Amino acid sequence: MTAEAHRRRAFWQILLIAAGLLVLTVISAGSVYLVNKAREDSKWVIHTIEAENQINALLLEIRRAESSARGFLLTQGPDFQSDHEKAVASIIPALDKLTRQIGDNPAQRENIEKLSAAIELRLDQFSREMNFVKQGQPEQATALIREAAAGNTTTTIGNLANAMIREEERLFRIRTANSDRSQTLAASMTGIGSGLVVLLALISTWLVRRSARARDEAEARMRDANANLEAVVDERTADLREANDEIQRFAYIVSHDLRSPLVNIMGFTSELEELGGDIFRRIGGLTHVPADGPPPADGQIALEGPDQQLSADFSEALGFIKSSIAKMDRLISAILNLTREGRREFQPEKVDTRELIEAIVTTLAHQASEAQAEIHVEPLPNLVSDRLALEQIFSNLIDNAIKYLKNGVPGEIRIRGRTKLGYAIFEISDNGRGIDPKDHQRIFDLFRRAGTQDKQGQGIGLAHVRALVRRLGGTMSLSSELNAGSTFTITLPITWNASNRNADK
């Protein structure tokens, strides 16, 4: 499959996913809206039914109060009196509840005001009727009943209640229609959305099957192309190891062979220094020979003028040569040590890391005391690793921390550790002079140093440390700023076993 075909397929897949997300979003939003609207419409339908039932309940209590009042008037029985009092006590709460229920409708609020006035009038009539009966004046009670009947109070209450019921029935029809319409729309949207989802699913299935076929074909071609990949990798790995060994042998041979001419140069430089002394003594002798006498004895001649300057320049040049020879000798020794260490096979063993580092700190106690530095060793995780490599790693880092402290500032070096996901993480921090962020990578290169060069060194230590850490299957990082101290972080596997032994060789 061509790159263009891959791009087209990726484009259509992305477009399909976007379309599916858009459809699902629209369906979800629409469904939520319509479901909420249908729920709201249903709530209003139920509200209308409850209001209508409350009107009927209020009418029932009023009729119950009237019938019990008449029964009490005719029989003066206590049961009728009790029933009448219960009915009258229920009328006001029922009226209040109805008032709250229909408060959203202006027309019903006007009706409820009229109804409340009529009910209050009728309740007053009930109270007077019952008082006349209790006082033994049934004629007065009967007259009051006729007066109430003539005033059509009960009829007014019934008419107002019926008008309110008709209004609620009208609202019921409207709200029922709205609820049905919302539910129909919700069902329609759900059906349409489901259809679109099914369609998109079918298209997705087709594209996935097509992609799967293309992937299977690509995998088949890859299997054919990489049938001998493992053998090729093994061969390349063997070549790489052989090349690495060859480089180490070459570095060893070159550095070893350089030592012979360097020794010769050192010897001839010493001879040249002695010869120079003889030459300048002779020059001085020739310069100070008296006209009528023998030359002065050796060692008693002082050079003057150009001869003295020439002697000083000669001595200075020899000093530079000897200094360069000494530096080259140290570099050759360091290269030899590196090549020997590179050929050493690591031997994993259980190491008490805290004990190992405390031993290193003890050996560096004199340097730490001279630098006025305190070294704090916190609890550290134990490892299964190469002891000698660990000693070299931590010795170099602690020694550097002591060496590069700030002058005049008491040093504080802290070594701490923790474990995470099968690895041990060590941090060696100090409050020293720090390292400029632009030199964080530079200091790990061979023969490269950073900052003020006021301490002895060849620029090999940190490069060697990082190489050891990598051979142990770990990583090394630095966090530092100028005049703010440094923190070297070493991450090593807790258990370094034979499966990764000498993996980099």
Side-chain angles (χ1 to χ4, degrees):
M1 183 180 292
T2 64
E4 182 64 25
H6 277 297
R7 284 194 293 271
R8 284 199 305 270
R9 175 170 296 174
F11 170 76
W12 284 109
Q13 288 176 344
I14 293 172
L15 184 63
L16 182 64
I17 292 172
L21 289 175
L22 179 61
V23 169
L24 289 176
T25 302
V26 171
I27 292 172
S28 299
S31 297
V32 169
Y33 170 75
L34 291 174
V35 167
N36 288 336
K37 190 174 184 307
R39 185 182 295 115
E40 187 70 17
D41 291 338
S42 298
K43 185 181 72 173
W44 283 112
V45 170
I46 295 172
H47 175 76
T48 303
I49 295 172
E50 290 176 347
E52 187 175 350
N53 290 337
Q54 188 63 29
I55 295 171
N56 290 322
L58 179 60
L59 286 176
L60 180 61
E61 294 299 332
I62 293 172
R63 290 168 184 163
R64 177 184 167 195
E66 288 182 348
S67 61
S68 59
R70 292 174 183 174
F72 182 67
L73 176 61
L74 295 174
T75 65
Q76 297 184 5
D79 292 338
F80 287 107
Q81 181 183 359
S82 175
D83 191 35
H84 175 78
E85 290 174 353
K86 290 179 181 179
V88 169
S90 301
I91 289 174
I92 297 301
L95 181 61
D96 292 339
K97 184 177 180 181
L98 178 61
T99 302
R100 291 193 299 270
Q101 287 179 334
I102 64 173
D104 59 292
N105 191 331
Q108 292 289 57
R109 284 201 300 269
E110 183 179 352
N111 289 330
I112 199 65
E113 291 176 0
K114 296 177 182 179
L115 182 62
S116 298
I119 289 176
E120 289 179 3
L121 179 60
R122 189 70 183 103
L123 289 176
D124 181 65
Q125 292 172 350
F126 282 149
S127 178
R128 288 187 292 162
E129 290 174 9
M130 296 300 290
N131 287 334
F132 284 140
V133 174
K134 292 177 182 178
Q135 294 171 3
Q137 299 176 0
E139 296 83 4
Q140 296 292 336
T142 303
L144 188 57
I145 292 173
R146 292 194 185 100
E147 180 184 345
N152 294 325
T153 304
T154 303
T155 304
T156 301
I157 292 174
N159 292 336
L160 290 172
N162 290 330
M164 294 177 69
I165 291 173
R166 288 193 296 271
E167 175 63 18
E168 292 299 325
E169 289 177 348
R170 182 185 70 83
L171 293 174
F172 177 78
R173 290 191 295 271
I174 295 173
R175 291 169 177 173
T176 301
N178 291 337
S179 177
D180 293 341
R181 183 165 55 253
S182 299
Q183 292 178 3
T184 301
L185 287 174
S188 300
M189 175 162 283
T190 302
I192 294 171
S194 300
L196 289 175
V197 169
V198 170
L199 178 62
L200 291 174
L202 292 175
I203 297 174
S204 300
T205 303
W206 177 73
L207 287 176
V208 168
R209 293 185 62 184
R210 185 178 175 185
S211 299
R213 286 196 299 269
R215 183 196 60 204
D216 293 340
E217 293 174 359
E219 289 178 353
R221 288 194 297 270
M222 185 179 296
R223 283 194 297 270
D224 294 339
N226 298 331
N228 298 321
L229 179 61
E230 185 174 353
V232 171
V233 170
D234 291 340
E235 182 180 353
R236 295 291 184 271
T237 302
D239 293 341
L240 182 61
R241 290 178 179 174
E242 184 177 353
N244 189 32
D245 292 340
E246 187 64 29
I247 290 172
Q248 290 186 359
R249 285 194 298 270
F250 177 75
Y252 180 80
I253 292 171
V254 168
S255 57
H256 186 273
D257 290 348
L258 285 176
R259 182 63 64 86
S260 296
L262 185 63
V263 171
N264 290 334
I265 293 173
M266 293 173 64
F268 283 117
T269 301
S270 299
E271 292 184 8
L272 183 61
E273 186 176 16
E274 295 178 1
L275 183 60
D278 294 339
I279 290 174
F280 284 109
R281 280 194 296 274
R282 292 190 178 220
I283 291 174
L286 293 175
T287 303
H288 294 82
V289 172
D292 55 352
D298 292 344
Q300 300 178 357
I301 301 170
L303 297 176
E304 298 178 355
D307 295 335
Q308 184 180 12
Q309 182 63 39
L310 181 63
S311 176
D313 292 343
F314 183 79
S315 298
E316 183 180 8
L318 282 179
F320 285 139
I321 293 173
K322 292 172 70 176
S323 176
S324 298
I325 290 173
K327 182 176 181 179
M328 188 172 181
D329 182 62
R330 290 194 299 271
L331 291 176
I332 291 173
S333 298
I335 292 174
L336 285 172
N337 290 333
L338 283 177
T339 54
R340 291 191 189 102
E341 184 62 30
R343 291 194 301 270
R344 186 176 70 85
E345 185 171 334
F346 288 171
Q347 298 297 329
E349 60 179 287
K350 188 173 182 179
V351 179
D352 187 330
T353 313
R354 183 182 177 90
E355 179 183 345
L356 181 142
I357 291 181
E358 286 179 344
I360 295 172
V361 170
T362 301
T363 61
L364 296 174
H366 179 68
Q367 293 94 312
S369 177
E370 288 185 346
Q372 297 181 349
E374 293 185 0
I375 303 176
H376 304 278
V377 182
E378 299 181 4
L380 302 172
N382 295 331
L383 298 175
V384 174
S385 192
D386 185 81
R387 177 180 291 274
L388 180 58
L390 292 177
E391 288 180 355
Q392 292 175 336
I393 290 170
F394 290 111
S395 295
N396 193 290
L397 293 177
I398 298 173
D399 181 66
N400 280 353
I402 297 172
K403 186 186 297 183
Y404 296 106
L405 291 171
K406 289 187 287 189
N407 294 329
V409 177
E412 183 175 352
I413 301 169
R414 191 170 299 276
I415 300 119
R416 52 184 172 268
R418 64 183 189 277
T419 60
K420 183 178 181 181
L421 301 176
Y423 284 86
I425 302 172
F426 300 92
E427 292 181 351
I428 298 92
S429 59
D430 60 69
N431 62 339
R433 64 179 67 175
I435 302 171
D436 196 315
K438 64 183 177 61
D439 293 328
H440 283 187
Q441 292 302 319
R442 172 190 177 93
I443 62 172
F444 292 107
D445 296 336
L446 275 173
F447 312 120
R448 303 290 294 275
R449 303 177 70 191
T452 304
Q453 305 300 315
D454 57 347
K455 304 291 183 181
Q456 291 186 353
Q458 292 80 41
I460 292 177
L462 288 178
H464 183 44
V465 168
R466 186 168 68 171
L468 290 175
V469 170
R470 287 178 174 174
R471 285 192 63 190
L472 291 175
T475 59
M476 181 177 182
S477 62
L478 167 64
S479 174
S480 179
E481 292 184 4
L482 283 176
N483 300 317
S486 303
T487 299
F488 286 89
T489 302
I490 308 295
T491 302
L492 296 171
I494 294 177
T495 303
W496 185 83
N497 50 43
S499 63
N500 49 23
R501 182 183 301 174
N502 306 314
D504 63 327
K505 290 184 63 178

